[in-house]
Amino acid sequence: MRPGPGPLVVVGDALLDQDVDGEARRLAADAPAPVVDVADEHLRPGGAALAAALAALRAGDREVVLVTALGRDPASEEIRSALAGRVRLEELPLDGSLPVKTRVRAAGRPLVRIDRGGGTPGAPTEAVRRLLERAGTVLVSDYGGGTAAALRPLLGAAAHRAPLLWDPHPRGEPPVPAVCLAVPNAAEARTFAAAGTSDGAAPRGDTLADTAARAVLLRRRWQAAAVVVTLGAHGALLTRGDGDPMVVPPSRAVTGDPCGAGDCFAAAAAAALAGGALPEEAVQTAVEAATAFVAADERTRWRQRNPGPGDGPAGDAFTVAASVRAAGGTVV
């Protein structure tokens, strides 16, 4: 299915991510817990909001629209502010507050995550219905918050009109039939494959052959044109039929924080599909985009530990700029 001239529409659950960074050099006197001396903290769009921001960086002149549930709480206002001027919003009402996920990190490594907030999305508006009818490409970024469930009939119809990529979540909806590309990670693929029994026993191992077998099983179960299983630092595995899969490794090894890399992968693949790429080309583009995203974080952490002009790896200026903008920052 070829993309239409309409916008790239991202549908899903927006989150607000908060990173608290510092150093842990001692334990607390009253408990065997590390004490983090905070050096920096910042807020950034997460979930579908991050996917939409990253898609906008790669969509060229094509409009990117985010359909998500937002309320009147401070976290929702933060998302509106972070995306203003880059991504158009079509909002569903949110009964509750936007989820906020706070990660406390020491030397760039997570110590604990604190989750707050949550709510229930309301019914789609007429504007959302019209938007999905004219969408050129659709990305569903499901974080189990209920947005995909609220729009499922509309998404099912959209899958027959435009390329639809579905990034699933174990607590969310399975992809609607006829999606162009479903993109679970390896752990999600294992969970999804084991959840049903009508297709026979799911593979239990962790080899590439087992992963490929799970991808074939899920493609049949979900009636998807293709399934790509992301493999973290090892790239991705694409299956379009019952034959041999296509393994796409990254061009280099990186060791940065992988948080957000899955959203980057899905956004890059969706933007590539919107530009007319084949699924194989979209997966290759997405692997390199996710690798660059993680590498940008790696460079940032290196410079934080080694401040000074000229310190650290040179890096790609466009990659760093994309990472800063995706996090809600400004590049001068």
Side-chain angles (χ1 to χ4, degrees), residues 51-144:
L54 292 170
L57 291 169
R58 294 180 162 270
D61 295 332
R62 187 182 294 265
E63 182 184 30
V64 175
V65 186
L66 172 62
V67 178
T68 193
L70 295 174
R72 294 300 167 189
D73 54 290
S76 294
E77 294 296 345
E78 188 72 32
I79 291 296
R80 293 187 182 97
S81 176
L83 298 182
R86 293 184 291 155
V87 174
R88 181 161 71 85
L89 284 170
E90 284 291 349
E91 299 183 19
L92 305 182
L94 178 65
D95 182 13
S97 61
L98 196 74
V100 179
K101 299 184 181 296
T102 301
R103 294 188 308 157
V104 180
R105 305 188 298 186
R109 302 298 181 184
L111 291 181
V112 65
R113 197 182 86 182
I114 303 166
D115 290 0
R116 292 170 290 172
T120 303
T125 64
E126 184 59 33
V128 170
R129 294 177 184 273
R130 292 196 300 268
L131 173 66
L132 286 173
E133 287 176 356
R134 67 182 186 86
T137 305
V138 179
L139 165 61
V140 177
S141 180
D142 189 4
Y143 270 73

Side-chain angles (χ1 to χ4, degrees), residues 130-176:
R130 292 196 300 268
L131 173 66
L132 286 173
E133 287 176 356
R134 67 182 186 86
T137 305
V138 179
L139 165 61
V140 177
S141 180
D142 189 4
Y143 270 73
T147 303
L151 298 176
R152 189 171 183 84
L154 299 179
L155 294 171
H160 293 280
R161 292 192 298 264
L164 191 151
L165 186 151
W166 195 294
D167 187 0
H169 192 282
R171 295 196 304 271
E173 293 280 305
V176 297

